[in-house]
Amino acid sequence: MEAVRIGIGIDIGTENIKAVVLAQKGSEIPAVLRVKEVPSAGVRYGEVVDLERPAAILRELLTDLHGVLQFETNHATVNIGGVNLLTTHTDGVIALEDSNRPINGKDLERLIQDAEKGRVPSNRSIIDLIPHGYTLDGQSGIKDPVGMSGQRLEMRASVISTLNPSFINLRKTVELAGIHECGLVPVAAAGARAVLSSRQMENGVALVDIGSSTTSVAIFEDGELQHVSVVGINHSGERKSVGSNNITKDLATVLQITPEIADEVKRNHINALGSPSGGEITLTKGRESYKFDREEVDEIVGARLKAILKSVHEEIARAGYSQKLPEGVVLIGGGAKIKDLSSLASKELVMATRVGEIKNIGNAFREVFRLEYAAAVGLALQDLENSSLSGVSSKAKKQSSPNGKGFLSKLFDKIKF
């Protein structure tokens, strides 16, 4: 009997926390077992600012997931965000003591230590180090040097880091929630496995995740993550992140309406390119009726969207990839659902832009294909790689059927694709 692996992805956002549970038997398409979204708390601009409140939400979320799975698991993969994310390009070099001995994992560990040394300030925590290529005795372009022999080994890499409090607070939160085996993936990069193809990541592509309070960029080339960051704007001397909620706030402020009414205007009546016909927007909320000048709404929305896209363009240029991405830009996140946003983005970013599409998973839950779930699906796919039935608790083993076929296998057999 083939083992069934479980992957849990948790997207911790400022407004909502989304979870996706996937199951995979062998090399079959992962099946969706559970999709869950709950209101968030204690998170601001993508960073944890109150340990207990999000931890309590996560505990309740895991209880729900365990009820569906009928066993407990303490592993998951979550995203880490905030404007403090930073990508630093680095390199490392080591001398190999015996030129006849094959290079092994310990050599690579020494190389990574050399690449990290002095490159990241003491007030920052390293989330990941991503090798981009190795050079052995002058021969470059090596993807994996293990097993080769030589005297001098070099490496080019990217180091992704964040401020220590951002890293420590998130780790403490997930531990308080009972997640003791936790993988961390930077925002934007989290959705890559769900929407990007190998060809796109090989040729060069930027994934832009427009969330409620943050907009993040992940750049891929040669099949590897090259750069990741959360874009921000300077406000009163402080760098703050921006997202689709800024459109709601702009509408509420200028039109002098409540955020609830402004949010309904944003969700149902805006177009990134504006409306050529003009006229009025009319909506009814309870007993109240509201009318807004469409041109005024278009001007408010257009100004904010262009400001966000300008920040994205500047970040891509800062990373050295302006007009150097053959696969262009792929948009995900709730903000990517704005009508005709890809057309406006193509113009403002000066490159081909398309809205992402979640793929490579079973379609038992249609809601999981909404763009808001791209990050959670990508995180669950990442978690699948790190999990196996060996991580199932003894409680799960006790619930196996008498004929030896466990609950997971029986559940998996029922799923239709």
Side-chain angles (χ1 to χ4, degrees):
M1 181 184 72
E2 286 187 283
V4 178
R5 293 176 294 127
I6 292 293
I8 300 176
I10 303 177
D11 175 11
I12 301 177
T14 301
E15 282 205 343
N16 298 288
I17 296 178
K18 302 177 186 69
V20 171
V21 181
L22 300 178
Q24 185 176 32
K25 182 193 294 184
S27 59
E28 294 182 12
I29 296 175
V32 181
L33 299 186
R34 185 64 164 159
V35 179
K36 186 76 173 179
E37 180 176 2
V38 295
S40 184
V43 181
R44 184 176 299 158
Y45 300 118
E47 296 183 314
V48 173
V49 295
D50 181 333
L51 298 182
E52 184 51 44
R53 291 174 71 193
I57 294 171
L58 288 175
R59 278 195 296 269
E60 291 183 12
L61 185 63
L62 288 172
T63 298
D64 174 85
L65 300 182
H66 294 158
V68 174
L69 296 175
Q70 293 186 17
F71 68 82
E72 295 180 1
T73 179
N74 63 359
H75 70 82
T77 298
V78 304
N79 59 343
I80 182 168
V83 292
N84 295 313
L85 274 179
L86 177 67
T87 301
T88 306
H89 298 289
T90 185
D91 50 51
V93 56
I94 60 170
L96 300 168
E97 298 175 357
D98 185 351
S99 60
N100 295 317
R101 177 181 61 79
I103 296 170
N104 57 33
K106 290 185 178 180
D107 295 318
L108 295 188
E109 288 179 10
R110 287 201 297 129
L111 189 58
I112 289 173
Q113 290 174 359
D114 184 77
E116 292 177 348
K117 189 185 305 179
R119 308 302 168 89
V120 177
S122 60
N123 67 333
R124 302 189 69 86
S125 296
I126 294 176
I127 300 170
D128 200 2
L129 183 144
I130 305 168
H132 298 313
Y134 299 88
T135 299
L136 181 60
D137 291 345
Q139 180 186 346
S140 60
I142 296 173
K143 285 290 185 181
D144 184 2
V146 173
M148 300 179 181
S149 301
Q151 295 179 318
R152 178 185 171 91
L153 182 62
E154 303 170 65
M155 175 184 68
R156 294 180 298 103
S158 291
V159 176
I160 301 172
S161 67
T162 189
L163 290 179
N164 291 335
S166 300
F167 180 82
I168 294 170
N169 290 344
L170 180 58
R171 294 296 302 212
K172 285 184 177 179
T173 295
V174 297
E175 287 173 3
L176 285 171
I179 303 172
H180 301 299
E181 297 176 19
C182 179
L184 295 181
V185 177
V187 292
R193 291 175 179 268
V195 301
L196 296 182
S197 66
S198 298
R199 186 195 69 182
Q200 287 174 314
M201 289 189 283
E202 186 69 30
N203 291 339
V205 64
L207 186 64
V208 177
D209 187 340
I210 305 176
S212 61
S213 64
T214 62
T215 298
S216 50
V217 180
I219 298 175
F220 295 83
E221 189 181 42
D222 296 332
E224 301 285 353
L225 176 64
Q226 304 287 336
H227 180 88
V228 66
S229 65
V230 174
V231 302
I233 59 173
N234 292 320
H235 179 74
S236 301
E238 182 181 359
R239 188 168 180 263
K240 290 189 175 182
S241 58
V242 290
S244 62
N245 267 3
N246 289 88
I247 299 174
T248 302
K249 294 175 182 178
D250 291 346
L251 289 170
T253 302
V254 178
L255 300 179
Q256 300 179 12
I257 54 178
T258 66
E260 290 75 21
I261 300 298
D263 192 59
E264 187 164 338
V265 173
K266 181 186 74 173
R267 292 179 184 277
N268 301 315
H269 298 279
I270 68 172
N271 185 305
L273 296 177
S275 174
S277 58
E280 286 186 332
I281 294 173
T282 303
L283 62 88
T284 302
K285 194 75 170 178
R287 297 181 179 180
E288 298 291 332
S289 180
Y290 300 88
K291 291 185 179 182
F292 307 104
D293 181 74
R294 189 175 293 275
E295 287 187 6
E296 184 178 14
V297 170
D298 288 343
E299 184 178 353
I300 297 167
V301 173
R304 175 57 69 179
L305 286 176
K306 289 178 181 179
I308 292 174
L309 292 171
K310 180 182 178 182
S311 296
V312 170
H313 186 269
E314 290 173 348
E315 189 60 38
I316 293 174
R318 189 178 298 112
Y321 285 91
S322 180
Q323 297 184 316
K324 293 181 181 179
L325 297 171
E327 298 286 348
V329 173
V330 176
L331 303 174
I332 61 172
K337 295 164 60 176
I338 296 173
K339 189 176 180 180
D340 288 332
L341 179 59
S342 61
S343 298
L344 178 64
S346 293
K347 178 181 178 182
E348 297 297 318
L349 302 178
V350 200
M351 65 180 80
T353 305
R354 72 197 81 173
V355 175
E357 180 181 347
I358 297 174
K359 46 200 172 186
N360 300 324
I361 58 171
N363 59 0
F365 294 84
R366 291 292 180 182
E367 63 190 286
V368 80
F369 291 94
R370 289 161 44 198
L371 285 174
E372 298 98 312
Y373 278 98
V377 172
L379 292 166
L381 288 169
Q382 173 69 51
D383 201 54
L384 272 176
E385 294 190 2
N386 305 324
S387 63
S388 67
L389 281 178
S390 61
V392 175
S393 70
S394 58
K395 182 178 179 181
K397 296 176 184 177
K398 292 178 182 177
Q399 293 177 344
S400 296
S401 60
N403 63 7
K405 193 168 187 180
F407 167 78
L408 282 177
S409 295
K410 290 189 292 183
L411 178 62
F412 199 93
D413 289 343
K414 294 179 183 178
I415 295 173
K416 297 179 180 179
F417 297 101

